[in-house]
Amino acid sequence: TTASPHGMRLNTAQETCGICCDDVPPFRAVRLLCSHGWYCAQCVLRHAEARLASGASSIVCPECTAPLPERDLRKLLPQHLIDRLLARSLEQAVSSAADLWACPTPNCPMRVALEDGGLPRLKCTLCGKTSCLRCGLPWHRGQSCEEARRRPKRKRDEGMAELMQWIEETGTKQCPTCRMAVTKQKLENQCTQYSECHKMCCRNCDTKFCFKCLAVLDDKFTCGCTINAHGFIDPRTGKRINHLRGGGSKAKSKAASKRAAAKRQR
C-alpha cells in the first residue's frame, strides 16, 4: 500500500471493496485514517452523497463513524460535493450560535445578530421580506407572537399555520437555538418520560436541551427535569452521549432554567 503523509492509504495491489465487494484495481481504493477499508471510489462517493442527503454536516467512516478530515475528502470527492459539505457545516455552526438568527423565509441564507431585549423585526436585504425572528411569521407590529398566530391567515401563510398547529397539537418542541421542530419517537407520549427521557440533541444544530423546559444543557449544567445519569442519543448515529462530566458544577434550579427558556420564547 501507498501511505499518505496524513494517514489515508491507496491500494497498490488488487483489493476487495468492503462495501460493494467488487475487486478494485490498484490505486482505486482507499484505507482511511482509522484503518477501516478498503473502499472503492464509487462507494465513497455514494456514501458521501447519502450523508449529505440525510442532513449530515460531516462525512464519516462507514464502519466506526470517525470523521474524515477535509484534506482527505478533497482527494476523494468532486468539488461540488465539497462545496455542499462546507455550506452545510457553516449553516450548522451559525445555527448553534445563540445570538444569530436565520431569516424565516425558506431557503434565504441571511443570518443576523439579535441582542437580548432587541426588537426581533428583520427587513431582509436578500429576500426583501419583513419577518419576526422570534416566531417566523410576517412582522406583526403591535401584536405578540401568540396574537399573531391566532389572527386570520392569508393563503400564503397557511403552510406555516398548519405547521404551528401540528406542533401545538402533538406537543412537539422547537430547538431553543435554531427553532427546528424536534419530536420524540412516540408522539403520544412526548410530554412524559414513560418511554423516553427529556434530554434531546437537535439534529440541525447539535444543541443539547431539555424537551420539557427548553433549557440548553452542557457538560456542566442540568435543569433537573431528568436525572443526571441519563444522557443524550446522537440523532445521526444512535449512539449514547454522556451528559455531565467529572461531576459537573452544582445544577442550577429548575425555576431559573424555566425563566431562561421562557425569555428565549418571547
Side-chain angles (χ1 to χ4, degrees):
T1 55
T2 298
S4 162
H6 303 296
M8 186 177 71
R9 292 180 289 168
L10 294 174
N11 62 319
T12 55
Q14 180 173 289
E15 301 287 353
T16 301
C17 175
I19 297 178
C20 67
C21 297
D22 287 347
D23 291 333
V24 187
F27 305 107
R28 293 293 184 270
V30 294
R31 175 161 286 168
L32 304 177
L33 181 62
C34 58
S35 297
H36 288 122
W38 303 96
Y39 305 124
C40 72
Q42 285 302 310
C43 284
V44 171
L45 177 61
R46 286 193 290 266
H47 172 61
E49 290 173 337
R51 288 278 300 173
L52 284 168
S54 70
S57 62
S58 62
I59 309 301
V60 300
C61 169
E63 294 187 51
C64 70
T65 69
L68 275 61
E70 181 181 335
R71 60 177 177 266
D72 290 346
L73 291 174
R74 289 188 177 277
K75 300 173 184 176
L76 298 170
L77 303 177
Q79 187 59 44
H80 74 275
L81 283 186
I82 296 295
D83 292 342
R84 285 179 57 193
L85 182 62
L86 295 178
R88 180 73 56 76
S89 299
L90 178 61
E91 173 68 18
Q92 293 198 356
V94 170
S95 296
S96 65
D99 61 341
L100 289 179
W101 294 74
C103 174
T105 303
N107 299 320
C108 180
M110 174 62 79
R111 300 294 182 269
V112 295
L114 178 65
E115 297 180 355
D116 288 342
L119 185 69
R121 177 182 181 273
L122 170 64
K123 172 66 174 178
C124 183
T125 57
L126 294 182
C127 69
K129 303 294 180 62
T130 303
S131 308
C132 174
L133 292 173
R134 298 292 185 190
C135 65
L137 296 175
W139 178 244
H140 42 84
R141 182 178 180 181
Q143 290 183 313
S144 67
C145 293
E146 184 62 29
E147 290 170 339
R149 291 190 186 101
R150 293 175 180 172
R151 73 185 181 187
K153 304 295 189 302
R154 292 173 292 181
K155 185 175 182 179
R156 66 183 181 181
D157 296 330
E158 288 179 356
M160 176 61 73
E162 291 175 359
L163 173 62
M164 299 308 297
Q165 181 180 356
W166 177 83
I167 286 176
E168 183 176 353
E169 290 176 351
T170 59
T172 296
K173 299 296 179 68
Q174 290 178 276
C175 170
T177 299
C178 70
R179 310 301 294 166
M180 175 69 72
V182 178
T183 70
K184 296 184 180 181
Q185 287 185 335
K186 297 182 179 179
L187 296 181
E188 66 275 12
N189 292 330
Q190 287 203 111
C191 296
T192 73
Q193 293 192 83
Y194 295 138
S195 301
E196 304 155 44
C197 81
H198 291 316
K199 293 183 180 180
M200 306 294 285
C201 184
C202 178
R203 177 185 288 271
N204 182 54
C205 69
D206 295 325
T207 295
K208 298 176 179 64
F209 68 97
C210 174
F211 192 84
K212 182 177 181 181
C213 72
L214 294 181
V216 176
L217 309 176
D218 58 33
D219 58 4
K220 295 181 182 295
F221 172 76
T222 180
C223 60
C225 294
T226 304
I227 62 173
N228 293 347
H230 282 201
F232 304 90
I233 298 298
D234 188 314
R236 301 183 186 90
T237 66
K239 294 183 178 180
R240 173 188 166 89
I241 303 173
N242 290 332
H243 181 190
L244 298 176
R245 298 178 182 176
S249 61
K250 187 177 181 180
K252 298 180 181 179
S253 70
K254 185 188 297 187
S257 301
K258 290 183 177 179
R259 286 196 297 270
K263 182 179 179 181
R264 285 192 294 271
Q265 287 185 303
R266 292 190 193 120

